[in-house]
């Protein structure tokens, strides 16, 4: 069993988006090292992320609606632990 202290924030993001959006592709990149010492850096090395997600849940939705789905899935993490989140959300088959 994995201790909650050893579960990375990237793994938590992956688990939440997988459970919520059933993605066909998912990439979670920790960009925090690019922001060390900047505003929002809390010293954990887990504050800035880029998410690339492809899901059928995005079909027919505009960019803002897609980002809202991602933000809703991660709401408590965005409120407490994630300082910045870049989102690339696509439906299957989109370029």
């Amino acid at each position: 069993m994995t201790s909650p202290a050893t579960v990375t924030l990237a793994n938590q993001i992956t688990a939440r988006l997988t459970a919520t959006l059933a993605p066909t592709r998912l990439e979670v990149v920790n960009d925090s090292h690019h922001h060390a010492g900047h505003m929002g850096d809390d010293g954990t090395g887990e504050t800035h992320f880029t998410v690339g997600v492809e899901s059928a849940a995005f079909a027919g939705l505009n960019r803002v609606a897609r980002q809202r789905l991602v933000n809703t899935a991660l709401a408590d993490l965005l409120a407490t632990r994630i300082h910045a989140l870049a989102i690339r959300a696509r439906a299957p088959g989109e370029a």
Side-chain angles (χ1 to χ4, degrees):
M1 180 175 193
T2 304
S3 161
T6 62
V7 176
T8 67
L9 189 51
N11 288 343
Q12 290 178 53
I13 293 167
T14 298
R16 299 251 184 116
L17 295 179
T18 298
T20 304
L21 300 172
T24 52
R25 293 176 151 241
L26 178 60
E27 179 182 24
V28 178
V29 178
N30 183 342
D31 297 318
S32 301
H33 62 284
H34 295 296
H35 303 278
H38 298 174
M39 183 176 201
D41 174 29
D42 65 4
T44 65
E46 293 188 308
T47 54
H48 296 70
F49 292 88
T50 297
V51 170
V53 57
E54 177 183 278
S55 172
F58 298 139
L61 299 179
N62 65 31
R63 181 181 53 84
V64 173
R66 293 172 182 197
Q67 290 181 352
R68 283 185 182 137
L69 285 177
V70 172
N71 288 340
T72 298
L74 304 175
D76 64 314
L77 297 176
L78 286 165
T80 59
R81 299 187 57 200
I82 300 171
H83 175 73
L85 181 67
I87 302 169
R88 291 186 313 265
R90 297 184 179 114
E94 292 180 344

